Coordinates of all heavy atoms in Angstrom, one line a residue:
D1180 N -112.0 -55.8 -140.1 CA -112.8 -54.7 -139.5 C -111.9 -53.5 -139.1 O -110.8 -53.7 -138.6 CB -113.3 -55.4 -138.1 CG -114.0 -54.4 -137.3 OD1 -115.2 -54.1 -137.4 OD2 -113.3 -53.8 -136.4
S1181 N -112.4 -52.4 -139.4 CA -111.7 -51.1 -139.0 C -112.5 -50.1 -138.5 O -113.7 -50.4 -138.1 CB -110.9 -50.6 -140.4 OG -110.0 -49.6 -140.0
A1182 N -112.2 -48.9 -138.4 CA -113.0 -47.7 -138.0 C -112.4 -46.5 -138.3 O -111.1 -46.3 -138.5 CB -113.2 -47.9 -136.5
R1183 N -113.2 -45.4 -138.4 CA -112.6 -44.0 -138.6 C -111.7 -43.7 -137.4 O -110.8 -42.9 -137.7 CB -113.8 -43.0 -138.7 CG -114.5 -43.0 -140.0 CD -113.7 -42.7 -141.3 NE -112.9 -41.5 -141.1 CZ -111.5 -41.5 -141.0 NH1 -110.9 -42.6 -141.3 NH2 -110.9 -40.4 -140.9
W1184 N -112.0 -44.1 -136.3 CA -111.2 -43.7 -135.2 C -109.8 -44.3 -135.1 O -108.9 -43.9 -134.3 CB -111.9 -44.1 -133.8 CG -113.1 -43.2 -133.5 CD1 -113.4 -42.0 -134.0 CD2 -114.1 -43.3 -132.5 NE1 -114.6 -41.4 -133.5 CE2 -115.0 -42.3 -132.5 CE3 -114.2 -44.3 -131.5 CZ2 -116.0 -42.1 -131.6 CZ3 -115.3 -44.2 -130.6 CH2 -116.1 -43.1 -130.6
Y1185 N -109.6 -45.3 -136.0 CA -108.3 -46.0 -136.0 C -107.3 -45.3 -136.8 O -106.6 -46.0 -137.6 CB -108.5 -47.5 -136.4 CG -109.4 -48.3 -135.5 CD1 -109.9 -49.5 -136.0 CD2 -109.9 -47.9 -134.3 CE1 -110.8 -50.3 -135.2 CE2 -110.8 -48.6 -133.5 CZ -111.3 -49.8 -134.0 OH -112.1 -50.6 -133.3
S1186 N -107.1 -44.1 -136.8 CA -106.2 -43.3 -137.6 C -106.0 -43.8 -139.0 O -107.0 -43.6 -139.8 CB -104.7 -43.2 -136.8 OG -104.2 -44.5 -136.7
D1187 N -104.9 -44.4 -139.4 CA -104.7 -44.7 -140.8 C -105.0 -46.2 -141.1 O -104.6 -46.7 -142.1 CB -103.3 -44.4 -141.3 CG -102.2 -45.2 -140.5 OD1 -102.6 -46.0 -139.6 OD2 -101.0 -45.0 -140.8
S1188 N -105.7 -46.9 -140.2 CA -106.0 -48.2 -140.5 C -106.8 -48.5 -141.8 O -106.4 -49.4 -142.5 CB -106.8 -48.8 -139.3 OG -107.3 -50.1 -139.6
E1189 N -107.8 -47.7 -142.0 CA -108.6 -47.8 -143.3 C -107.7 -47.6 -144.5 O -107.8 -48.4 -145.5 CB -109.7 -46.9 -143.3 CG -110.8 -47.1 -142.3 CD -111.9 -46.1 -142.3 OE1 -111.7 -44.9 -142.7 OE2 -113.1 -46.5 -142.1
E1190 N -106.8 -46.6 -144.5 CA -106.0 -46.4 -145.7 C -105.0 -47.6 -145.9 O -104.9 -47.9 -147.1 CB -105.1 -45.1 -145.4 CG -105.9 -43.8 -145.3 CD -105.0 -42.7 -144.9 OE1 -104.2 -42.3 -145.8 OE2 -105.0 -42.2 -143.8
K1191 N -104.5 -48.2 -144.8 CA -103.7 -49.3 -145.0 C -104.4 -50.5 -145.6 O -103.9 -51.2 -146.4 CB -103.0 -49.7 -143.7 CG -101.9 -48.7 -143.3 CD -101.4 -48.9 -141.9 CE -100.3 -48.0 -141.5 NZ -99.9 -47.9 -140.1
L1192 N -105.7 -50.7 -145.2 CA -106.5 -51.7 -145.7 C -106.8 -51.5 -147.2 O -106.6 -52.4 -148.0 CB -107.9 -51.8 -145.0 CG -108.0 -52.7 -143.8 CD1 -109.3 -52.5 -143.1 CD2 -107.8 -54.1 -144.3
G1193 N -107.1 -50.2 -147.6 CA -107.4 -49.9 -149.0 C -106.1 -50.1 -149.8 O -106.2 -50.7 -151.0
N1194 N -105.0 -49.7 -149.3 CA -103.7 -49.8 -150.2 C -103.4 -51.4 -150.3 O -102.9 -51.7 -151.4 CB -102.6 -49.2 -149.4 CG -102.7 -47.6 -149.4 OD1 -103.4 -47.0 -150.2 ND2 -102.1 -47.0 -148.5
A1195 N -103.7 -52.1 -149.3 CA -103.2 -53.5 -149.4 C -104.2 -54.4 -150.1 O -103.8 -55.5 -150.8 CB -103.0 -54.1 -148.0
L1196 N -105.5 -54.1 -150.0 CA -106.5 -55.1 -150.5 C -107.5 -54.6 -151.6 O -108.4 -55.3 -151.9 CB -107.2 -55.6 -149.3 CG -106.4 -56.4 -148.2 CD1 -107.2 -56.7 -147.1 CD2 -105.8 -57.6 -148.8
S1197 N -107.4 -53.4 -152.0 CA -108.3 -52.8 -153.0 C -108.4 -53.7 -154.3 O -109.5 -53.7 -154.9 CB -108.0 -51.4 -153.3 OG -106.7 -51.3 -154.0
D1198 N -107.3 -54.3 -154.6 CA -107.4 -55.1 -155.9 C -108.1 -56.4 -155.8 O -108.5 -57.1 -156.7 CB -106.0 -55.4 -156.4 CG -105.1 -56.2 -155.4 OD1 -105.2 -56.0 -154.2 OD2 -104.4 -57.2 -155.9
V1199 N -108.4 -56.8 -154.5 CA -109.2 -58.1 -154.2 C -110.5 -57.7 -153.5 O -111.1 -58.6 -152.8 CB -108.4 -59.1 -153.4 CG1 -107.2 -59.6 -154.3 CG2 -107.9 -58.5 -152.2
R1200 N -110.9 -56.5 -153.7 CA -112.1 -56.0 -152.9 C -113.3 -56.9 -153.0 O -114.0 -57.2 -152.1 CB -112.5 -54.6 -153.5 CG -113.7 -54.1 -152.8 CD -113.5 -53.9 -151.2 NE -114.7 -53.4 -150.6 CZ -115.6 -54.2 -149.9 NH1 -115.4 -55.5 -149.9 NH2 -116.6 -53.7 -149.4
K1201 N -113.5 -57.4 -154.3 CA -114.8 -58.3 -154.5 C -114.7 -59.7 -153.7 O -115.8 -60.4 -153.6 CB -115.0 -58.6 -156.0 CG -113.8 -59.3 -156.6 CD -114.1 -59.5 -158.1 CE -113.0 -60.2 -158.9 NZ -112.6 -61.5 -158.3
D1202 N -113.5 -60.0 -153.3 CA -113.3 -61.2 -152.6 C -113.4 -61.2 -151.1 O -113.2 -62.3 -150.4 CB -112.0 -62.0 -153.0 CG -111.9 -62.2 -154.5 OD1 -112.9 -62.6 -155.2 OD2 -110.8 -62.0 -155.1
I1203 N -113.5 -59.9 -150.5 CA -113.4 -59.8 -149.1 C -114.6 -59.1 -148.6 O -115.4 -58.5 -149.3 CB -112.1 -59.1 -148.7 CG1 -112.1 -57.7 -149.3 CG2 -110.9 -59.8 -149.1 CD1 -111.0 -56.8 -148.7
Y1204 N -114.8 -59.1 -147.3 CA -115.8 -58.3 -146.6 C -115.2 -57.3 -145.6 O -114.2 -57.7 -144.9 CB -116.7 -59.3 -145.8 CG -117.6 -60.3 -146.6 CD1 -117.0 -61.5 -146.7 CD2 -118.7 -60.0 -147.3 CE1 -117.7 -62.6 -147.5 CE2 -119.3 -60.8 -148.1 CZ -118.8 -62.1 -148.2 OH -119.5 -63.1 -149.0
I1205 N -115.7 -56.1 -145.8 CA -115.1 -55.0 -144.9 C -116.2 -54.5 -144.0 O -117.3 -54.1 -144.5 CB -114.5 -53.9 -145.8 CG1 -113.3 -54.4 -146.6 CG2 -114.1 -52.7 -144.9 CD1 -112.7 -53.4 -147.6
A1206 N -115.9 -54.4 -142.7 CA -116.7 -53.7 -141.8 C -116.0 -52.5 -141.2 O -114.8 -52.6 -141.0 CB -117.0 -54.6 -140.6
T1207 N -116.6 -51.3 -141.2 CA -115.9 -50.2 -140.5 C -116.9 -49.4 -139.8 O -118.2 -49.9 -139.7 CB -115.2 -49.3 -141.6 OG1 -114.2 -48.4 -140.8 CG2 -116.1 -48.5 -142.5
K1208 N -116.6 -48.3 -139.1 CA -117.4 -47.7 -138.2 C -117.4 -46.2 -138.1 O -116.4 -45.6 -138.5 CB -117.0 -48.2 -136.7 CG -116.7 -49.6 -136.7 CD -116.2 -49.9 -135.2 CE -115.7 -51.3 -135.0 NZ -114.3 -51.5 -135.6
T1209 N -118.4 -45.6 -137.8 CA -118.5 -44.2 -137.5 C -118.8 -43.9 -136.1 O -119.8 -44.5 -135.5 CB -119.5 -43.4 -138.4 OG1 -119.5 -42.0 -138.0 CG2 -121.0 -44.0 -138.3
G1210 N -118.1 -43.0 -135.5 CA -118.3 -42.6 -134.1 C -119.1 -41.3 -134.0 O -119.3 -40.8 -132.9
S1211 N -119.5 -40.8 -135.2 CA -120.2 -39.5 -135.2 C -121.6 -39.5 -134.6 O -122.3 -40.6 -134.6 CB -120.3 -39.0 -136.7 OG -121.0 -37.8 -136.7
T1212 N -121.9 -38.4 -133.9 CA -123.3 -38.3 -133.2 C -124.2 -37.4 -134.0 O -125.2 -37.0 -133.5 CB -123.1 -37.9 -131.8 OG1 -122.3 -36.6 -131.8 CG2 -122.3 -38.9 -130.9
T1213 N -123.7 -36.9 -135.2 CA -124.5 -36.0 -136.0 C -124.6 -36.6 -137.4 O -123.8 -37.3 -137.9 CB -123.9 -34.6 -136.1 OG1 -122.7 -34.7 -136.9 CG2 -123.6 -34.0 -134.7
V1214 N -125.8 -36.2 -138.0 CA -125.9 -36.7 -139.5 C -124.8 -36.1 -140.4 O -124.3 -36.9 -141.2 CB -127.4 -36.2 -140.0 CG1 -127.5 -36.6 -141.5 CG2 -128.4 -37.0 -139.2
E1215 N -124.4 -34.9 -140.2 CA -123.4 -34.3 -141.1 C -122.1 -35.1 -140.8 O -121.4 -35.4 -141.8 CB -123.2 -32.9 -140.7 CG -122.1 -32.2 -141.5 CD -121.9 -30.7 -141.0 OE1 -122.5 -30.3 -140.0 OE2 -121.1 -30.0 -141.8
G1216 N -121.8 -35.5 -139.6 CA -120.6 -36.2 -139.3 C -120.6 -37.6 -139.9 O -119.7 -38.1 -140.3
F1217 N -121.8 -38.2 -139.8 CA -122.0 -39.5 -140.4 C -121.6 -39.6 -141.8 O -120.8 -40.5 -142.3 CB -123.5 -39.9 -140.2 CG -123.9 -41.2 -140.9 CD1 -123.9 -42.4 -140.2 CD2 -124.2 -41.2 -142.3 CE1 -124.3 -43.6 -140.8 CE2 -124.6 -42.4 -142.9 CZ -124.6 -43.6 -142.2
W1218 N -122.2 -38.6 -142.7 CA -121.8 -38.6 -144.0 C -120.4 -38.2 -144.3 O -119.8 -38.9 -145.3 CB -122.8 -37.6 -144.8 CG -124.3 -38.1 -144.8 CD1 -125.3 -37.7 -144.2 CD2 -124.6 -39.3 -145.7 NE1 -126.5 -38.3 -144.5 CE2 -126.1 -39.4 -145.4 CE3 -124.1 -40.1 -146.5 CZ2 -126.9 -40.3 -146.0 CZ3 -124.9 -41.1 -147.2 CH2 -126.3 -41.2 -146.9
K1219 N -119.8 -37.5 -143.5 CA -118.5 -37.1 -143.7 C -117.5 -38.3 -143.5 O -116.6 -38.7 -144.3 CB -118.1 -36.0 -142.8 CG -116.5 -35.6 -142.9 CD -116.2 -34.4 -142.0 CE -114.7 -34.0 -142.2 NZ -114.4 -32.9 -141.2
D1220 N -117.9 -39.1 -142.4 CA -117.1 -40.2 -142.1 C -117.3 -41.3 -143.1 O -116.3 -42.0 -143.6 CB -117.6 -40.9 -140.7 CG -117.0 -40.2 -139.5 OD1 -116.2 -39.2 -139.7 OD2 -117.4 -40.6 -138.4
L1221 N -118.5 -41.5 -143.6 CA -118.7 -42.5 -144.6 C -118.0 -42.3 -145.9 O -117.3 -43.1 -146.4 CB -120.3 -42.6 -145.0 CG -120.7 -43.6 -146.0 CD1 -120.2 -45.0 -145.7 CD2 -122.2 -43.7 -146.1
E1222 N -118.0 -41.1 -146.4 CA -117.2 -40.7 -147.6 C -115.7 -40.9 -147.4 O -115.1 -41.3 -148.3 CB -117.6 -39.3 -148.1 CG -119.1 -39.0 -148.5 CD -119.5 -40.1 -149.6 OE1 -118.6 -40.3 -150.5 OE2 -120.6 -40.4 -149.7
T1223 N -115.3 -40.4 -146.2 CA -113.8 -40.6 -145.9 C -113.5 -42.1 -145.9 O -112.5 -42.5 -146.5 CB -113.5 -40.0 -144.5 OG1 -113.8 -38.6 -144.6 CG2 -112.0 -40.2 -144.2
S1224 N -114.3 -42.9 -145.3 CA -114.0 -44.4 -145.2 C -114.0 -45.0 -146.6 O -113.1 -45.8 -147.0 CB -115.0 -45.1 -144.4 OG -114.9 -44.7 -143.0
L1225 N -115.0 -44.6 -147.5 CA -115.1 -45.1 -148.9 C -113.8 -44.7 -149.6 O -113.2 -45.6 -150.3 CB -116.3 -44.6 -149.6 CG -117.6 -45.1 -149.1 CD1 -118.8 -44.4 -149.7 CD2 -117.8 -46.7 -149.4
N1226 N -113.4 -43.5 -149.4 CA -112.1 -43.0 -150.1 C -110.9 -43.8 -149.5 O -110.0 -44.2 -150.3 CB -111.9 -41.5 -149.9 CG -110.8 -41.0 -150.6 OD1 -110.8 -40.9 -151.8 ND2 -109.8 -40.4 -149.8
N1227 N -110.7 -43.9 -148.3 CA -109.6 -44.5 -147.7 C -109.5 -46.1 -148.1 O -108.4 -46.5 -148.3 CB -109.7 -44.5 -146.1 CG -109.4 -43.0 -145.6 OD1 -108.9 -42.2 -146.3 ND2 -109.6 -42.8 -144.3
L1228 N -110.6 -46.7 -148.1 CA -110.7 -48.1 -148.4 C -110.7 -48.3 -149.9 O -110.6 -49.5 -150.3 CB -112.0 -48.7 -147.8 CG -112.0 -48.7 -146.2 CD1 -113.3 -48.9 -145.8 CD2 -111.0 -49.8 -145.7
K1229 N -110.8 -47.4 -150.7 CA -110.7 -47.4 -152.2 C -111.8 -48.3 -152.7 O -111.6 -49.3 -153.4 CB -109.3 -48.0 -152.6 CG -108.1 -47.0 -152.3 CD -106.8 -47.5 -152.8 CE -105.8 -46.5 -152.5 NZ -104.4 -47.0 -152.9
T1230 N -113.1 -48.1 -152.2 CA -114.1 -48.9 -152.6 C -115.3 -48.0 -152.7 O -115.3 -46.8 -152.3 CB -114.4 -50.0 -151.5 OG1 -115.4 -50.8 -151.8 CG2 -114.8 -49.3 -150.1
D1231 N -116.4 -48.6 -153.4 CA -117.6 -47.7 -153.5 C -118.7 -48.2 -152.6 O -119.9 -47.8 -152.6 CB -118.1 -47.6 -154.9 CG -118.4 -49.0 -155.6 OD1 -118.2 -50.1 -154.9 OD2 -118.6 -49.1 -156.8

Side-chain angles (χ1 to χ4, degrees):
D1180 176 86
S1181 187
R1183 285 298 311 116
W1184 284 353
Y1185 301 165
S1186 63
D1187 62 357
S1188 169
E1189 290 178 331
E1190 292 175 75
K1191 287 170 176 171
L1192 268 174
N1194 290 336
L1196 300 174
S1197 60
D1198 63 317
V1199 293
R1200 176 66 183 96
K1201 62 180 175 55
D1202 299 322
I1203 63 175
Y1204 297 99
I1205 294 176
T1207 194
K1208 318 176 190 77
T1209 174
S1211 179
T1212 56
T1213 68
V1214 171
E1215 182 183 6
F1217 172 96
W1218 288 109
K1219 182 179 179 182
D1220 278 357
L1221 178 55
E1222 293 304 325
T1223 301
S1224 291
L1225 291 169
N1226 182 65
N1227 287 346
L1228 292 163
K1229 298 182 178 179
T1230 184
D1231 57 4

